[in-house]
């Protein structure tokens, strides 16, 4: 049997539903199709990380650790992977080194084979602790380049970054194109440069927002990419990934044949058609190309967030002004790639600049922290006037931001010891204290009620009486 020259990572169980339906897919929607997916021959399945951890507890009353264990039990042949935000882990701020290490240890222990790590600023210092722990746990370390366009984000800069990632122990490199900005021409050049400079496997991840992703994938494959991220057709395109079936069909019979069979993908697609219908009320409406991402480099999720902020202020008529302000703010902040959490920082500041009527008159605490260096080193120099307006004569930190955070895990373990029933509960609490406490108390109260059979153990809210 010939070994496929190109492999596919399926994103339907993580990024696709995060991109299209606000990360609301439940484990009950995944398990019935798991056996079929396990037989297809995917390179891997992205099943965890990103916003799924938070959403499980906050919105779905699911334990993210139980989800991972449940999926690991069902997928016996296919590797499972997650997306990790470096020092942010799966949250929206930096966490202490001990929390990062404990999370990676537990994530691999609960069933992950591949961990894809990225940092919003491509600051490798924010990735090094997580990367080191992945290697210690014996999992596959995939380090990611957050792809974006700016005067400082050049082919040479990205190629040099990939070399440093190899020196950090990367087993593979991912080009993470979160906004769908990667053109076929640039994709070909970048894949070739990374392969030449590192010799490592290259995986390409893109979103269909601009309409270029499938073309970028083909160009990447012809340039030597080893794996591409796709989503089964009912959960593809729009702000999600290119469709799995289309890529498999396009490459069938040629030198880049994936080895996957359409007849095996059809029943999987049929299952996800039903899931899409189940959640039709929360599915995003964007199914065509969003030209805004090409003009303003704004990812789909950031665009919808800007709309939401303006609707709350009854100022939707000022959307065009905000869209034009975003690139200006981004330049002044040193051209950060627009991905969580920097997309929120730039978008919020641009909105304030427009609505207040005076640029940089109001500066959120998080933006000040960014300008102080607590998110990492900006890709380019920050506008000195903006920095002075935000932080005065204070000097930004120059060390690795994680070094400024005191250890957290012992305190988290003490906080949950009275009611935690698994070691992972302390991690859930360390990451999202308020959300995890509410979720876990309700979860364990319900379990006690169910196991002992005493209705009086909990009141109507699910909390102990």
């Amino acid at each position: 049997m010939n070994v496929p020259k190109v492999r596919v990572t399926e994103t339907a169980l993580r990024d696709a539903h995060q991109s299209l339906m606000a990360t609301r897919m439940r484990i009950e929607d995944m398990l019935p199709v798991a056996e079929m997916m396990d037989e297809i021959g995917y390179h891997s399945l992205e099943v965890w990380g990103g916003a799924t951890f938070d959403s499980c507890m906050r919105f779905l009353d699911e334990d993210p650790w139980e989800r991972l264990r449940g999926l690991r039990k069902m997928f016996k042949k296919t590797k499972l992977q997650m997306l990790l935000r470096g020092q942010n882990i799966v949250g929206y701020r930096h966490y202490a080194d001990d929390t990062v290490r404990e999370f990676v240890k537990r994530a691999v222990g609960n069933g992950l084979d591949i961990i894809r790590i990225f940092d919003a600023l491509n600051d490798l210092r924010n990735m090094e602790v997580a990367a080191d722990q992945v290697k210690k746990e014996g999992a596959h370390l995939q380090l990611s380049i957050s792809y974006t366009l700016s005067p400082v984000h050049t082919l040479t800069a990205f190629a040099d970054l990939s070399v440093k990632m190899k020196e950090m122990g990367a087993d593979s490199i991912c080009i993470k194109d979160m906004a769908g900005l990667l053109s076929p021409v640039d994709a070909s050049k970048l894949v070739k440069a990374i392969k030449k400079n590192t010799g490592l496997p290259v995986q390409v991840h893109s979103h269909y927002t601009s309409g270029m992703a499938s073309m970028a994938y083909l160009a990447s494959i012809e340039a030597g990419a080893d794996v591409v991220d796709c989503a089964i057709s009912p959960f593809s395109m729009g702000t999600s990934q290119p469709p799995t079936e289309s890529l498999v069909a396009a490459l069938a019979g040629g030198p880049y044949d994936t080895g996957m069979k359409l007849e095996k993908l059809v029943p999987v697609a049929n299952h996800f058609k039903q899931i899409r219908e189940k959640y039709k009320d929360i599915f995003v409406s964007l199914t065509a190309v969003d030209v805004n991402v090409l003009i303003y480099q704004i990812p789909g999720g950031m665009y919808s967030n800007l709309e939401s902020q303006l609707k709350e202020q009854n100022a939707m008529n000022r959307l065009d002004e905000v869209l034009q302000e975003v690139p200006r703010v981004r330049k002044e902040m040193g051209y950060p790639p627009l991905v969580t959490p920097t997309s929120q920082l730039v978008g919020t500041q641009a909105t304030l600049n427009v609505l207040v009527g005076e640029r940089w008159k109001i500066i959120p605490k998080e933006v000040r922290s960014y300008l102080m260096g607590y998110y990492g080193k900006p890709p380019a120099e920050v506008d000195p006037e903006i920095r002075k307006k935000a932080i005065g004569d204070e000097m930004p930190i120059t060390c690795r931001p994680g070094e400024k955070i005191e250890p957290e895990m012992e305190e988290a373990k003490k906080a949950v010891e009275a009611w935690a029933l698994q070691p992972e509960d302390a991690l859930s609490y360390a990451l999202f204290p308020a959300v995890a406490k509410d979720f876990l108390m309700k979860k364990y109260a319900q379990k006690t009620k169910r196991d002992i059979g005493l209705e009086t153990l909990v009141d109507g809210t699910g909390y102990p009486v």
Side-chain angles (χ1 to χ4, degrees), residues 339-357:
V339 63
T340 302
T342 50
S343 56
Q344 288 90 333
L345 301 183
V346 173
T348 299
Q349 188 64 58
T351 302
L352 287 169
N353 286 359
V354 169
L355 297 185
V356 170

Side-chain angles (χ1 to χ4, degrees), residues 177 180 182 184 204-220 240-242 247:
D177 175 30
L182 185 65
V204 183
H205 170 96
S206 187
H207 290 249
Y208 215 88
T209 321
S210 71
M212 293 195 295
S214 288
M215 295 182 282
Y217 277 11
L218 183 57
S220 297
S240 179
Q241 281 73 50
L247 183 101

Side-chain angles (χ1 to χ4, degrees), residues 179-215:
L181 298 171
L182 185 65
S183 73
V185 173
D186 289 341
S188 179
K189 292 178 181 177
L190 184 51
V191 170
K192 286 177 181 177
I194 295 172
K195 296 285 284 190
K196 178 182 178 181
N197 286 9
T198 69
L200 293 175
V202 174
Q203 186 157 352
V204 183
H205 170 96
S206 187
H207 290 249
Y208 215 88
T209 321
S210 71
M212 293 195 295
S214 288
M215 295 182 282

Side-chain angles (χ1 to χ4, degrees), residues 42-46 72 77-81 113-114:
Y42 287 113
H43 167 72
S44 65
L45 296 164
E46 191 191 45
R72 178 74 279 171
K77 301 178 181 179
T78 313
K79 291 181 178 179
L80 302 184
Q81 74 177 64
D113 303 291
I114 302 167

Side-chain angles (χ1 to χ4, degrees), residues 274-305:
Q274 296 174 14
I275 301 303
R276 178 168 180 151
E277 178 64 21
K278 174 181 175 182
Y279 294 103
K280 62 182 179 182
D281 291 341
I282 61 171
F283 235 78
V284 297
S285 57
L286 175 65
T287 55
V289 169
D290 180 5
V291 71
N292 288 305
V293 78
L294 291 171
I295 298 173
Y296 305 116
Q297 300 185 31
I298 296 173
M302 181 181 178
Y303 183 81
S304 58
N305 190 48

